[in-house]
Each structure stands twice: as C-alpha cells, then as structure tokens.
Amino acid sequence: MTQWPLPLPMQRALSAARSAAAAGEVPIGAVIVKDGVVIAEAHNTPRTDHDPTAHAEMRAIRAAAKTLADERLTGCELWVTLEPCAMCAGAIAHARIARLYYAASDPKGGAVEHGARVFDQPQTLHRPEIYTGIGEAEAAAMLRAFFRERR
Amino acid sequence: MTQWPLPLPMQRALSAARSAAAAGEVPIGAVIVKDGVVIAEAHNTPRTDHDPTAHAEMRAIRAAAKTLADERLTGCELWVTLEPCAMCAGAIAHARIARLYYAASDPKGGAVEHGARVFDQPQTLHRPEIYTGIGEAEAAAMLRAFFRERR
C-alpha cells in the first residue's frame, strides 16, 4: 500500500509546525505560494515574540506582502496546518489570498467552517477558494501530542 | 452651550487617525491604555508598509505587547476610532484586552456589532467590555472626507 504523497506546500507547512513545537509554540505552520514558488513560510511565535498576532498565517502573509512590496497577495495560495481563526481569516480576506488550503479543522478556534465563519458573511470583501483536509491526520496528531505533553 | 470633552485616549486616537489621512492612509487611529497611561498609539499603515495586517488596532496591540513583554494585554483598554474588523476583533480576543472603546460603527467592515460578530460567538476565548459612540461624529466625518476626496 502506498500513501499518496501530500502536496509539497503542505509538507513544508507541516515541517514549519514541527519547528514551532520544538520552540515550545503551538505547532501550526503556514506557507504562501505564488506561481508555484514558495514565497513565505512561518510558524506560530506569539510566546517567543510577545506578540498575540504572531500566528503562522499572519507571519506568512506579512512576509509575503513585504517580499512582493504589495499589500495585496493577489493570485497567491496559503497553505496552513489548521483552520484559521477569525483574526487570520480576516487577514486572508484583506490580503486577497486566492486559494486557502488547510489540514485540520478547528471546532474550538476556527472561523472558516466554525464560529464567526468569516468568509460566509455577506459583507466579506473577499472569499478565497477553500480546500480542506489535506494532511489533516498528521496536523491533528501533532497538536494532540503537543497539548498532551503540557497537561 | 458647552460640548462635553471626549476622553483623552479617544482624542489621541482621533489625532492618530488624522495622521493616517495626512499620510494617504484610511484615517483610523488606536490607543492602548494600561492603568491610566497610554502605552501604545498607532494609525493604519497597510499601504505605506505593504502590510495587509497593519490596521491601527493591530499595530497598537503589537507595540503594547512588545512594551509589556507579554503576549497578553490583561487589564488594558483599546480605544479606536472605528468598529474593529474580524481580524482586529480576533486579535483583541487573543490579547485579552479588558475594555474596548470605539467611535464610529462600521456596517461594511465591522465585526463587533455587524457581520462575523466575533465576540458573540460561543467559542470566543475572551469578550472585552465594549463601549461605543465616543467621538463617533468626528471619526465618521474624517472617514467620509477621506473617501470623498479620493472618488
């Protein structure tokens, strides 16, 4: 039996999530791709940076926008290991991310298919195409292991 | 007839909003107060900084957290000239802001009393006390003038 390989950007997002765990941060990783090229990659750093906004998605979006010298990431894809929260979903809309791919869903903190459902609001400025469940098992296992160790 | 003066933090937030307009940015300003002292003050800079996340609230929260060397702004107040969007409301919850004061409400982009209603979600991690309408007329007039000039 051969496991179908994960798309490369999600492999890199999962690898970023592993780096977060190693640094004592919640294991979440994100990657931004434009025209098939990774232009930003980040993991969660709120504790390390004393920054409540330093989620993986936010850091990747900010880095990509700096690289492109543009506040809009038109045509870009965001790959992330967990369903984005309201803050990150809002940033994804502001940045005009074209496609959002996430691994595990997050009933507690997610705001895409749960809670605030940011992209389903009629007032939303922008709704990306959304693909879920890619690498879900691995992303969820990493989060469970992280919180189990800290209990 | 004497106009009751605005609380000082909202006066400073409105002054920050004026600085934004002067820099060609949407006129929104924010101030963070802890124990009666202003510890951060910011205006919108997404265009200038090529950063879709650089809303006044986000910049003020990040600056305050750096100053306190703590990802949580426990006991802090956030004063802002416009109803926060989903991104900023999410950041306010993550930062555990104690009290949120805003001037004008924003039916198009706001996510406190409109749209995603981030703090009304049962899953929200934290709901600040919320006070609205302080300096509303001035904040709204500034925004209208800004967009009128650009049309």
Side-chain angles (χ1 to χ4, degrees):
Chain A
M1 215 161 56
T2 308
Q3 172 82 33
W4 189 260
L6 282 175
L8 207 65
M10 191 56 85
Q11 291 183 31
R12 286 185 64 166
L14 285 163
S15 157
R18 272 187 291 273
S19 306
E25 300 274 3
V26 178
I28 303 169
V31 157
I32 292 179
V33 173
K34 187 178 169 77
D35 302 330
V37 178
V38 172
I39 60 166
E41 185 173 334
H43 67 257
N44 259 30
T45 60
R47 290 169 195 182
T48 315
D49 289 349
H50 303 306
D51 182 354
T53 76
H55 284 194
E57 302 93 310
M58 302 294 283
R59 296 185 66 227
I61 286 171
R62 300 182 74 215
K66 278 269 184 287
T67 298
L68 300 180
D70 192 340
E71 59 164 319
R72 301 221 167 145
L73 301 177
T74 316
C76 289
E77 302 171 350
L78 174 64
W79 296 74
V80 56
T81 58
L82 190 66
E83 180 184 350
C85 71
M87 174 179 73
C88 294
I92 288 165
H94 291 312
R96 309 291 195 271
I97 294 281
R99 286 171 293 284
L100 165 64
Y101 302 83
Y102 63 84
S105 70
D106 182 6
K108 279 193 192 164
V112 176
E113 53 182 301
H114 298 96
R117 290 179 172 77
V118 170
F119 304 121
D120 293 347
Q121 302 302 328
Q123 55 157 210
T124 195
L125 293 165
H126 173 80
R127 186 188 153 87
E129 291 172 34
I130 302 172
Y131 305 90
T132 71
I134 315 132
E136 186 172 13
E138 188 172 347
M142 218 186 296
L143 283 160
R144 273 196 307 272
F146 181 83
F147 287 112
R148 195 166 45 227
E149 271 174 32
R150 264 144 199 85
R151 234 173 250 142
Chain B
M1 215 161 55
T2 307
Q3 171 83 33
W4 190 260
L6 283 176
L8 206 67
M10 191 56 85
Q11 291 184 32
R12 286 185 64 165
L14 286 162
S15 156
R18 273 186 291 274
S19 307
E25 298 275 5
V26 179
I28 303 168
V31 156
I32 292 179
V33 173
K34 187 177 168 80
D35 302 331
V37 178
V38 171
I39 60 167
E41 185 173 334
H43 66 256
N44 259 31
T45 60
R47 290 169 196 183
T48 315
D49 289 349
H50 303 308
D51 180 355
T53 76
H55 284 194
E57 303 93 309
M58 302 294 281
R59 296 184 66 227
I61 287 171
R62 300 181 74 211
K66 277 268 185 284
T67 297
L68 301 180
D70 191 340
E71 59 164 319
R72 302 223 167 144
L73 301 177
T74 315
C76 290
E77 302 170 352
L78 174 65
W79 297 74
V80 58
T81 58
L82 189 67
E83 179 185 349
C85 72
M87 174 180 73
C88 294
I92 288 165
H94 290 312
R96 307 292 194 271
I97 294 281
R99 285 170 296 283
L100 166 65
Y101 303 81
Y102 62 84
S105 71
D106 183 5
K108 279 192 191 163
V112 176
E113 52 182 300
H114 298 97
R117 292 179 170 76
V118 170
F119 304 122
D120 293 347
Q121 302 302 328
Q123 55 158 210
T124 194
L125 292 165
H126 173 80
R127 185 187 155 87
E129 290 172 35
I130 303 172
Y131 305 90
T132 71
I134 315 132
E136 185 171 14
E138 188 172 346
M142 216 186 298
L143 284 160
R144 273 196 307 271
F146 181 84
F147 287 112
R148 194 166 46 226
E149 273 175 32
R150 263 144 201 85
R151 233 173 250 140

